[in-house]
Amino acid sequence: NAGVTQTPKFQVLKTGQSMTLQCAQDMNHEYMSWYRQDPGMGLRLIHYSVGAGITDQGEVPNGYNVSRSTTEDFPLRLLSAAPSQTSVYFCASSPMGAPEAFFGQGTRLTVV
Amino acid sequence: GEDVEQSLFLSVREGDSSVINCTYTDSSSTYLYWYKQEPGAGLQLLTYIFSNMDMKQDQRLTVLLNKKDKHLSLRIADTQTGDSAIYFCAENAGGTSYGKLTFGQGTILTVHP
């Protein structure tokens, strides 16, 4: 039972590079979310999806793109990485009509 | 917008009870959560409480909710060194907002032998 799987676990990027953080869940959950965690600030919502083909912005969406072509996958794209995007990124999924949210193990991203 | 506040640090002795406090501002909060994060790990859901409840108990964990004061607490009985972690309070408005959580800054719990 894999749950929510994030890849890669660690990544170092140079300023201006692009990359995609992968998130997959095998629980057939409708809702998926991306958060970033910075020291002393808790987790902040970046983007959100209520189902395939539907996405919405969270609190801190600038610099990030998402799409949801399948129920299982919700990739997060950084088009031009900046040092301010150095953070730990968490993906989460939730079933429709239920309050629990399940988190992946995180991706630690450093932009130099 | 919504805001969730927690104290940053708590230090207790092994065997004592720990109480972690949280305040929130969103009166439409439907569910309130406690998550645990161990070093280098993801977030583990400990428990959650529906806004029309005032208490929930689950083994060593007791959650108290004072909706009038918008205050949530997590009590850990007989705290062990394995309970050392960061504890996050979070809330959401329910409905199509499931999964859109607003988190506090986290409380670092240190348990001394």
Side-chain angles (χ1 to χ4, degrees):
Chain A
N1 45 336
V4 179
T5 302
Q6 291 184 238
T7 55
K9 286 189 169 42
F10 301 94
Q11 183 71 47
V12 178
L13 287 179
K14 293 183 179 177
T15 298
Q17 285 185 316
S18 63
M19 81 159 294
T20 299
L21 308 186
Q22 301 291 345
C23 175
Q25 52 94 5
D26 61 359
M27 298 173 281
N28 204 32
H29 287 170
E30 289 80 4
Y31 301 147
M32 295 186 75
S33 313
W34 276 103
Y35 296 83
R36 59 177 288 172
Q37 182 181 22
D38 300 297
M41 300 185 72
L43 279 77
R44 292 180 291 168
L45 183 65
I46 304 172
H47 281 289
Y48 176 74
S49 171
V50 297
I54 306 169
T55 64
D56 199 1
Q57 295 182 350
E59 181 186 352
V60 287
N62 292 341
Y64 307 95
N65 280 352
V66 292
S67 60
R68 183 120 178 253
S69 55
T70 67
T71 300
E72 295 78 19
D73 300 299
F74 191 41
L76 178 73
R77 296 185 194 83
L78 285 72
L79 296 179
S80 179
S84 60
Q85 294 177 305
T86 293
S87 189
V88 182
Y89 291 85
F90 288 99
C91 178
S93 73
S94 308
M96 184 182 289
E100 300 95 334
F102 299 91
F103 283 78
Q105 292 300 297
T107 295
R108 186 173 293 273
L109 176 68
T110 302
V111 183
V112 298
Chain B
E2 303 92 354
D3 198 18
V4 179
E5 297 282 338
Q6 299 177 240
S7 52
L8 293 183
F9 303 99
L10 178 64
S11 180
V12 301
R13 207 177 308 174
E14 192 174 18
D16 288 350
S17 291
S18 307
V19 179
I20 303 171
N21 294 301
C22 170
T23 58
Y24 61 98
T25 59
D26 187 358
S27 57
S28 66
S29 296
T30 301
Y31 287 97
L32 295 125
Y33 304 80
W34 285 105
Y35 280 87
K36 176 183 179 183
Q37 184 181 36
E38 297 185 41
L43 274 73
Q44 173 194 354
L45 177 63
L46 288 178
T47 187
Y48 63 91
I49 188 168
F50 189 50
S51 60
N52 69 353
M53 299 170 64
D54 53 18
M55 187 181 92
K56 182 177 181 181
Q57 191 153 359
D58 185 359
Q59 299 183 339
R60 292 192 297 125
L61 305 179
T62 302
V63 177
L64 295 178
L65 174 60
N66 182 328
K67 196 173 180 184
K68 174 176 165 289
D69 294 337
K70 297 191 181 68
H71 182 266
L72 182 75
S73 68
L74 174 70
R75 179 178 179 270
I76 306 172
D78 187 25
T79 313
Q80 303 298 308
T81 54
D83 294 323
S84 293
I86 305 175
Y87 290 80
F88 290 98
C89 170
E91 60 89 22
N92 78 17
T96 56
S97 296
Y98 287 134
K100 290 175 70 174
L101 301 177
T102 300
F103 284 85
Q105 310 94 308
T107 299
I108 299 173
L109 174 64
T110 304
V111 183
H112 299 284

